[in-house]
Amino acid sequence: MTTGLWIILDHVVALLSIALWFAAGVTLVLRRTRLALAVLVAAVLVTLVRVVTVAILAGRGWWFVQEKVLLGLPMLAAAGSVAVLLAGPQLLAARRGRGVGGSARGVVSVLTAAYAALAGLVVTFLVGYPLTLSTALITISLVCAGALLTARVVAPLAENTADAGVVQAPEGRRAISRRRFLGWTGGAVVVTAAGAGTGLSFLPAESVTTGGGSGRSSRAAVSIADLRGSGSPAPGGMVRRHVLTARKATVRLPSGREIDAWTYNGEVPGPAITAAEGDLIEVRLRNADVEGGVTLHWHGYDVPCGEDGAPGVTQMAVGPGEDFVYRFRADQVGTYWYHTHYASHVGVQKGLYGTLVVKPRDGQRADGHSAAEQVDLTLPVHTFDGTVVVAGRDGQTQHPAPPGAPVRLRLINTDSDPHRIVLAGTPFRMVAVDGRDINQPGEVSDVGLHLPAGGRFDLVFLMPDAPVALVVDDDRDGGLRLRPHADAPDEGRIEGTSSLPELDLLRYGVPAAVPFGTRKADRHFTMVLDRGVAMVDGRPAYAHTVNGRGHPSIPDQLVTEGDIVRFSVVNRSLETHPWHLHGHSVLILSRDGTPSTGSPLWVDTFDVRPGETWEVVFRATNPGIWMNHCHNLPHAHQGMMLRLRYDGVTTPFGGSRGESAGHGH
Ligand SMILES: [Cu+2]
C-alpha cells in the first residue's frame, strides 16, 4: 500500500477514534451503562489500531508522523489511560448491578480523552511538520481547559442525580471547595502555558537555512542586475529577435469557442520561439494593458539569473506601458516554454505562455534522424474552461504524416495539474524529458505517460501506415490525430487507455556517467510539503506550506557556487506537488528510497505525489537568487514557494510590484 493511502487510512482511524471517545462520554452522561462500556472498549481498540497505522507511517519516514508520535498519541494515551482507570471499574461494577456507573470523574476523564483525540487530528491538519514547542503548549493547554470546563459543567449534574445525598454532607462541601481550589489553580496553569505557547509562536524565524554548509559570506556582493545574458551569438549563430506584447484579447479555440484571454501578441499560445544552438535570443517584452504586470520566465532554460523573469527578485514586473529586454544564448538544445511569472496562477492559465524550442546546429539529432525530414510538432497541453486542448499555434488537432516519416512530438504541460498521455497506434521512444536527452531510450508501446505540470516529453517514432492517436487524460474524443493519408480512417486504437500501466521514468533508458559525484553533498535541504495555517504574503491563510511555513516566510536556502546540493522533497499532503527549481536541472536519485536505475534523469519539474519522498541533486553553477516552488501555480500563490540564494548575490528588486506586494511568482 502506498504511503499516500496509509496517510488517508490513518486520518480515517483517527476520525473514528474521536467519534468513539465522544460517544463513550455522551453515553456515560446519559447513564446508558452497557452501551457506554461497549463504546469505551471500542474506543480503546481503535486507539490501539491507530498506534499501528502511525507505526507503519513512521516506517515510511519521520516527517509523516512527528506530531503524532511526539504529541497526538502521547496526549491521547495519557488521557485515555486515566479514562479507562476511572470509568472502567465503575462501568464493570454497574454491569454486575452495583452502582450506576457514570461518576463525574469518569465522564470528565472520558470526554478529556475525546478532546485529546480531536486535538491530535487538528494539529495534524492545521500545523503538521515540524512540531514546535509553541504548538505543543497551546494544544495541551486547550485540552486541559476543555477538561476543566467539562468538570465545572458536568460535575454538578452528576452530583445532583447520583451523589445527591453526599453533597449535602460536610465532607461533601469540603470536597467541593477543594475542587474549586484545584479548578482555579489548574486554570491559572493552563492560561500561563497557552500564553507562553502563543508568545513563542511570535519569535522571529530564521531567514536563511544553510543545509549543513557554511553560512558566513566571504564573497564580494554581486547584484542580480549585473547577472545578464551574453550580448552576441556564438560563431556561426544568429540573433533571433522577437517583440512580445502582453495584452488582453478574445481568442478562438480549436473547438470554435471564443474566450477572453491574456496573450502575447494577441495569440494563445504566444509566438513560438525557435533557435539553433548557439544563436542569441533577444525578446523585447512590452505590456499593453495587463494590470499588475507581466514578465517572461524561461521555464527549464538555465538562463543567467538576471534574465529569469522572477518579479521582485530578478526584475520588477513590467507594468502597462513599460518594457524589458531579455537576452540569452541558446546553448541548451531541447523543448522548453516561457510564461509570465507575475501572478502566474492567473496569467498562465489565461494564456500568457508560449513555446521555446532549440535545435542542434548541425541539424542532426542524437537519434540519427535528420531534423529536416521530421514531422516535428510542438504541442502545449492547456486547459481552457475545463477543456483540454493539445494543439500547436495553428490550432489543428489533425495532422498529416507520410508513412515511414520520422515524427517528433514535443509535449509541454502548461497546466497546473499533471496529464496522462497515451500514444496509441505505434511504438515510440521517449527521447527527451524536460528538454534533456534520455540515454538509450528503449522502444515502448501500450504505456501511460505521467506528464507533470510544467514538464516536457519528446516522443519519437516512424509513422506507420495507419492513424496514430495522442490521447490525453483517457479522453478518446480529445487529443491529437496523425493520419498517414487523407482517406485513412479517423480512429486510431484508443479504447481502454485508462488501464495501461504507467511508464516509470526512473527505470527507463540505460545508466550513464554523470558529471559530478552524487554520493556526498555539500548541502542538504529537506522540504516537507503540507497544508496548514501559516502567514502568506503577510496574511494568515490555510496555506500550502514548506516545513510549516508559507511564502515569503520560508527561509532562503543558501548555497555557494560549485556546491553539490541535495534536496529531499517529502509530500505529507493529499495533493500532488510538481516541484520546480529555477536556473538548474536536477538529477533524480531516488523515489521513496528506490534508486533511479535507468538513464540519468535530469528534470526541472518532478511530481511529488501524496506520501512520496524524492531525493534529487544538482551542482550550483548558475549564480543568482532562484525561485524554488511548486509548479501547481495556485499552490505557489498560496505559499508553496521559496528562494535558493547563492552566497554574495543581492537583489535591488524587492520593492513595489515585487513578490511580496503582488504575489508575483
Ligand atoms: Cu503544489
Side-chain angles (χ1 to χ4, degrees):
M1 214 161 98
T2 65
T3 308
L5 287 175
W6 279 112
I7 292 174
I8 294 172
L9 185 66
D10 182 61
H11 289 337
V12 171
V13 175
L15 274 173
L16 190 59
S17 94
I18 294 167
L20 287 168
W21 281 108
F22 272 105
V26 170
T27 45
L28 263 178
V29 169
L30 298 176
R31 301 191 175 282
R32 304 281 303 275
T33 314
R34 279 170 178 277
L35 186 58
L37 183 63
V39 176
L40 184 65
V41 169
V44 171
L45 289 178
V46 170
T47 303
L48 292 175
V49 171
R50 183 87 205 291
V51 173
V52 174
T53 59
V54 169
I56 289 168
L57 271 181
R60 306 295 171 98
W62 177 240
W63 314 285
F64 298 113
V65 295
Q66 189 206 31
E67 85 289 0
K68 308 175 210 274
V69 170
L70 294 184
L71 179 66
L73 281 184
M75 210 165 51
L76 178 54
S81 304
V82 171
V84 168
L85 288 176
L86 290 181
Q90 293 168 351
L91 285 171
L92 285 173
R95 191 158 165 253
R96 296 192 202 97
R98 295 194 299 271
V100 290
S103 76
R105 278 180 183 182
V107 170
V108 172
S109 64
V110 170
L111 283 175
T112 302
Y115 303 152
L118 178 62
L121 191 65
V122 168
V123 166
T124 290
F125 274 98
L126 296 191
V127 185
Y129 180 94
L131 179 70
T132 60
L133 181 60
S134 162
T135 302
L137 282 174
I138 292 172
T139 309
I140 295 171
S141 306
L142 286 174
V143 171
C144 292
L148 289 172
L149 283 173
T150 308
R152 285 206 69 143
V153 175
V154 171
L157 292 179
E159 277 148 6
N160 285 345
T161 50
D163 313 325
V166 184
V167 172
Q168 301 309 320
E171 55 269 32
R173 267 186 242 113
R174 270 202 300 280
I176 285 175
S177 63
R178 194 175 67 230
R179 206 153 52 221
R180 283 210 179 118
F181 173 74
L182 287 175
W184 283 112
T185 314
V189 170
V190 163
V191 168
T192 308
T198 310
L200 282 176
S201 73
F202 283 101
L203 283 182
E206 293 287 323
S207 63
V208 167
T209 167
T210 63
S214 164
R216 215 153 25 88
S217 178
S218 53
R219 311 207 153 209
V222 179
S223 169
I224 274 186
D226 298 326
L227 295 172
R228 301 302 303 268
S230 167
S232 61
M238 58 181 287
V239 181
R240 308 268 181 170
R241 283 199 179 82
H242 295 264
V243 177
L244 266 57
T245 302
R247 63 167 178 262
K248 297 175 180 171
T250 302
V251 169
R252 186 183 293 271
L253 299 179
S255 65
R257 196 153 49 97
E258 294 196 326
I259 56 163
D260 291 327
W262 293 359
T263 72
Y264 293 115
N265 294 3
E267 303 155 350
V268 177
I273 297 178
T274 57
E277 191 177 6
D279 288 351
L280 184 83
I281 294 173
E282 183 184 295
V283 181
R284 179 176 294 274
L285 171 66
R286 296 201 165 107
N287 182 358
D289 59 0
V290 177
E291 297 94 358
V294 294
T295 67
L296 289 174
H297 166 60
W298 311 96
H299 185 112
Y301 221 79
D302 301 340
V303 296
C305 194
E307 314 291 343
D308 191 49
V313 180
T314 69
Q315 66 173 101
M316 305 305 276
V318 178
E322 299 176 352
D323 68 356
F324 188 93
V325 178
Y326 299 87
R327 194 177 287 119
F328 58 92
R329 183 80 70 76
D331 42 17
Q332 258 171 267
V333 169
T335 306
Y336 301 88
W337 63 299
Y338 62 83
H339 62 81
T340 185
H341 218 277
Y342 182 85
S344 53
H345 63 294
V346 178
V348 176
Q349 199 275 325
K350 279 182 164 293
L352 288 173
Y353 67 89
T355 63
L356 167 64
V357 172
V358 177
K359 297 186 179 180
R361 172 145 299 282
D362 60 9
Q364 290 290 321
R365 307 172 131 42
D367 54 38
H369 298 318
S370 160
E373 288 173 2
Q374 288 204 323
V375 176
D376 190 335
L377 300 174
T378 303
L379 301 167
V381 182
H382 198 81
T383 304
F384 300 94
D385 291 344
T387 305
V388 181
V389 176
V390 191
R393 283 168 39 78
D394 59 3
Q396 294 299 314
T397 57
Q398 305 266 345
H399 292 266
V407 178
R408 179 181 283 240
L409 304 181
R410 302 169 184 269
L411 296 165
I412 306 173
N413 186 350
T414 58
D415 279 329
S416 275
D417 289 304
H419 286 296
R420 179 178 160 88
I421 308 285
V422 171
L423 190 64
T426 178
F428 64 96
R429 287 176 294 136
M430 174 120 80
V431 296
V433 171
D434 284 5
R436 284 94 180 168
D437 285 348
I438 294 289
N439 185 47
Q440 299 182 41
E443 200 168 70
V444 292
S445 55
D446 294 328
V447 291
L449 307 175
H450 179 90
L451 180 59
R456 285 89 60 213
F457 288 162
D458 284 25
L459 313 182
V460 165
F461 55 93
L462 294 176
M463 186 66 196
D465 194 15
V468 168
L470 184 81
V471 181
V472 179
D473 299 335
D474 302 311
D475 175 13
R476 45 178 289 200
D477 298 322
L480 187 95
R481 301 290 182 273
L482 294 176
R483 297 163 79 181
H485 26 74
D487 55 348
D490 183 34
E491 286 297 294
R493 190 159 48 85
I494 55 175
E495 301 292 340
T497 58
S498 61
S499 60
L500 296 176
E502 189 176 303
L503 180 69
D504 185 358
L505 290 183
L506 271 66
R507 290 186 289 172
Y508 184 63
V510 175
V514 295
F516 54 85
T518 58
R519 285 181 176 274
K520 268 190 67 182
D522 300 301
R523 298 178 192 260
H524 185 174
F525 299 100
T526 299
M527 289 172 271
V528 179
L529 315 180
D530 204 354
R531 294 216 73 167
V533 173
M535 299 296 282
V536 177
D537 291 315
R539 285 183 295 273
Y542 191 51
H544 288 274
T545 57
V546 179
N547 298 336
R549 295 187 169 273
H551 173 82
S553 309
I554 306 168
D556 288 358
Q557 295 166 331
L558 187 74
V559 301
T560 306
E561 193 172 352
D563 281 350
I564 307 291
V565 184
R566 189 171 173 137
F567 283 167
S568 300
V569 188
V570 182
N571 186 355
R572 266 179 61 115
S573 79
L574 301 178
E575 289 163 88
T576 293
H577 299 296
W579 202 257
H580 174 57
L581 170 65
H582 288 205
H584 309 73
S585 60
V586 302
L587 176 69
I588 305 295
L589 294 177
S590 70
R591 177 189 56 220
D592 295 340
T594 305
S596 168
T597 55
S599 162
L601 188 57
W602 295 92
V603 298
D604 46 68
T605 318
F606 52 99
D607 250 351
V608 188
R609 290 186 248 190
E612 285 184 346
T613 300
W614 288 65
E615 301 278 341
V616 306
V617 70
F618 62 97
R619 189 155 59 183
T621 53
N622 195 3
I625 302 176
W626 301 98
M627 304 311 295
N628 188 16
H629 66 97
C630 179
H631 214 277
N632 181 310
L633 298 173
H635 292 183
H637 177 65
Q638 293 165 56
M640 199 169 262
M641 176 165 58
L642 64 150
R643 310 192 302 182
L644 178 102
R645 181 151 67 78
Y646 279 63
D647 189 14
V649 177
T650 61
T651 175
F653 302 115
S656 65
R657 259 187 276 136
E659 52 183 330
S660 299
H663 325 281
H665 41 74

